[in-house]
Amino acid sequence: NKVVAIDLRMNQLKGTIPASIKNLNYLASLNLGFNQLDGAIPSEITSIETLVSLQLFMNQLKGEIPAAIGNLKNLKELVLYNNYLTGTLPTSIYSLSQLETLQISSNKMSGMLSENILNLKNLKVLSVFDNTMYGKLPKQLGNLLNLKELALANNLFEGGVPAELKNLKKLEFLLLNDN
């Protein structure tokens, strides 16, 4: 009776993600990508401390990323691209020290990337392109030594490219256009 993984991607699911999702105490992986889910990401999802992978990409989700997302200390993969998410990245997201993939591209996110990005030492993929994020790129991006993919295009970032990006020896893909 211990559900550890749910993969319902590409099933034309409609409706909202129920708050009762929190009852899946052993869930490590949730993939509801490429459906027609709407409404907000329920804040109750942040009480599933066993989650390692949360994939809700290519839906019609609205609202903000739950402020308590940082409760998911085991999270390695947060994939939320192609939705209608708004607001800024919650401060608590920068405490997800196990995070390897953060993909929030093609939403309506705003705000700046925090200097606290340096806490995400295991990050391999950071993809925030096609939003309305702004401000200067933090030089702390250069501390993400495991980064392979950095996609920041189609935002409102300004200023130069931080010289510290030269430290990213594993970087294979860099997307900075249209800022």
Side-chain angles (χ1 to χ4, degrees):
N1 294 353
K2 297 178 181 177
V3 177
V4 296
I6 295 175
D7 187 345
L8 293 172
R9 67 185 153 192
M10 298 178 68
N11 275 293
Q12 300 178 352
L13 298 176
K14 295 181 180 180
T16 60
I17 301 168
S20 59
I21 192 94
K22 70 179 180 183
N23 297 329
L24 297 171
N25 300 1
Y26 299 96
L27 195 63
S29 177
L30 178 61
N31 188 338
L32 300 176
F34 218 116
N35 282 295
Q36 298 168 35
L37 298 171
D38 57 18
I41 300 170
S43 60
E44 291 83 358
I45 212 163
T46 64
S47 68
I48 309 172
E49 296 176 0
T50 51
L51 265 180
V52 174
S53 176
L54 179 58
Q55 299 189 53
L56 305 175
F57 60 93
M58 297 194 74
N59 278 290
Q60 297 161 18
L61 298 171
K62 298 176 182 73
E64 299 186 2
I65 297 172
I69 195 82
N71 291 349
L72 303 176
K73 298 296 182 199
N74 296 306
L75 202 62
K76 290 187 176 183
E77 199 171 30
L78 182 59
V79 183
L80 304 174
Y81 66 84
N82 279 82
N83 279 291
Y84 300 102
L85 298 173
T86 56
T88 61
L89 282 176
T91 305
S92 72
I93 210 165
Y94 298 108
S95 68
L96 296 173
S97 60
Q98 301 301 311
L99 201 61
E100 295 178 1
T101 301
L102 176 57
Q103 293 180 312
I104 59 162
S105 299
S106 298
N107 277 289
K108 298 176 185 232
M109 302 287 298
S110 60
M112 298 188 289
L113 284 176
S114 167
E115 295 174 355
N116 293 326
I117 194 95
L118 67 89
N119 297 333
L120 304 179
K121 300 267 189 229
N122 290 310
L123 212 54
K124 294 178 182 174
V125 176
L126 176 59
S127 182
V128 302
F129 72 85
D130 195 21
N131 279 291
T132 55
M133 298 185 78
Y134 57 85
K136 290 186 176 185
L137 296 177
K139 65 182 181 181
Q140 290 80 1
L141 285 169
N143 292 71
L144 304 178
L145 301 180
N146 291 307
L147 211 55
K148 292 182 177 182
E149 180 180 322
L150 180 59
L152 306 171
N154 290 44
N155 277 290
L156 302 171
F157 293 120
E158 58 189 35
V161 177
E164 290 78 3
L165 291 189
K166 72 178 184 283
N167 300 333
L168 304 178
K169 305 298 183 201
K170 296 181 181 179
L171 194 65
E172 298 172 358
F173 181 80
L174 177 63
L175 194 59
L176 297 172
N177 59 290
D178 295 315
N179 275 295

